[in-house]
Amino acid sequence: MASTASEIIAFMVSISGWVLVSSTLPTDYWKVSTIDGTVITTATYWANLWKACVTDSTGVSNCKDFPSMLALDGYIQACRGLMIAAVSLGFFGSIFALFGMKCTKVGGSDKAKAKIACLAGIVFILSGLCSMTGCSLYANKITTEFFDPLFVEQKYELGAALFIGWAGASLCIIGGVIFCFSISDNNKTPRYAYNGATSVMSSRTKYHGGEDFKTTNPSKQFDKNAYV
């Protein structure tokens, strides 16, 4: 029962992390910068993995999609690949988790389902590591440019998408670890019902065989016909 509850908790945590990781791809604010006037913010610059935009004080945004993928900076290409890999691994991990959980009716025997659940945990951990690496790589580029005194172009700060990605990656890793430990819980589960049935059957066999019957009831070994 405890193993089933831990698997359900791990599934909910992992799926929540995968949803958060997936939501970072279309999120706008991976990095953001503002130009403040005397009273109001005159312009807000922001960018994600697909485009760079500027929003003026009236709320009108002008965006420019990134050109050819081969012309992009290396860190953006790496972040795209890592985040897409994280989303794909999380999708396959959720499918493996559905087959490996003890509360489902598919997946085979308990031993096979435990192995599938452990595989789901490994896949979720890889998904979390990919997301963590992609967000950290992007954040490292922003902080390096921000604290570089020789960098004279527009400087940005960390956007909300990075924090969402870190949170989702942490949840995927935590859920994957719980799935991996669930296989040890399944191996430690005793099977008292089977042992009890074996002992009962063995005692009945001895009784009907006559060995114990003769030793415990010596007076009933002879019937009436033996004295005639």
Side-chain angles (χ1 to χ4, degrees):
M1 185 66 182
S3 177
T4 303
S6 62
E7 287 180 349
I8 294 175
I9 294 173
F11 181 76
M12 295 177 62
V13 171
S14 301
I15 290 297
S16 300
W18 176 58
V19 171
L20 289 177
V21 171
S22 302
S23 65
T24 59
L25 283 176
T27 302
D28 294 331
Y29 295 99
W30 276 67
K31 60 181 181 180
V32 60
S33 179
T34 58
I35 298 177
D36 298 327
T38 56
V39 179
I40 61 174
T41 301
T42 58
T44 301
Y45 294 87
W46 51 272
N48 55 16
L49 298 178
W50 317 102
K51 59 185 178 181
C53 301
V54 57
T55 304
D56 58 19
S57 59
T58 61
V60 178
S61 298
N62 294 316
C63 297
K64 178 182 180 183
D65 294 332
F66 291 143
S68 173
M69 186 180 66
L70 299 178
L72 288 175
D73 294 333
Y75 78 97
I76 296 181
Q77 297 183 19
C79 290
R80 280 184 178 181
L82 288 170
M83 297 306 296
I84 293 174
V87 174
S88 300
L89 289 172
F91 173 76
F92 289 108
S94 61
I95 295 177
F96 291 148
L98 289 175
F99 279 91
M101 294 175 64
K102 296 175 65 177
C103 59
T104 59
K105 301 297 183 180
V106 293
S109 62
D110 290 342
K111 187 175 182 181
K113 290 172 75 68
K115 293 181 179 180
I116 297 175
C118 183
L119 177 61
I122 295 174
V123 174
F124 274 122
I125 291 174
L126 292 176
S127 175
L129 291 176
C130 288
S131 177
M132 187 75 70
T133 305
C135 293
S136 300
L137 181 62
Y138 199 93
N140 179 69
K141 181 65 175 180
I142 295 174
T143 54
T144 301
E145 293 178 350
F146 187 86
F147 292 106
D148 187 4
L150 301 179
F151 187 77
V152 296
E153 297 181 7
Q154 182 71 33
K155 293 185 178 182
Y156 291 89
E157 297 182 1
L158 303 180
L162 296 177
F163 298 99
I164 296 174
W166 282 325
S170 301
L171 291 178
C172 286
I173 293 174
I174 293 173
V177 170
I178 298 175
F179 267 125
C180 291
F181 278 106
S182 66
I183 189 173
S184 61
D185 296 336
N186 291 330
N187 293 332
K188 293 180 182 179
T189 302
R191 298 182 179 273
Y192 296 106
Y194 179 78
N195 294 334
T198 304
S199 61
V200 171
M201 291 300 296
S202 61
S203 62
R204 290 181 178 178
T205 303
K206 290 182 180 179
Y207 180 82
H208 290 291
E211 181 179 353
D212 294 343
F213 182 79
K214 293 179 181 179
T215 56
T216 56
N217 299 285
S219 60
K220 295 183 180 180
Q221 295 180 5
F222 304 98
D223 56 1
K224 295 187 300 180
N225 298 327
Y227 298 97
V228 179

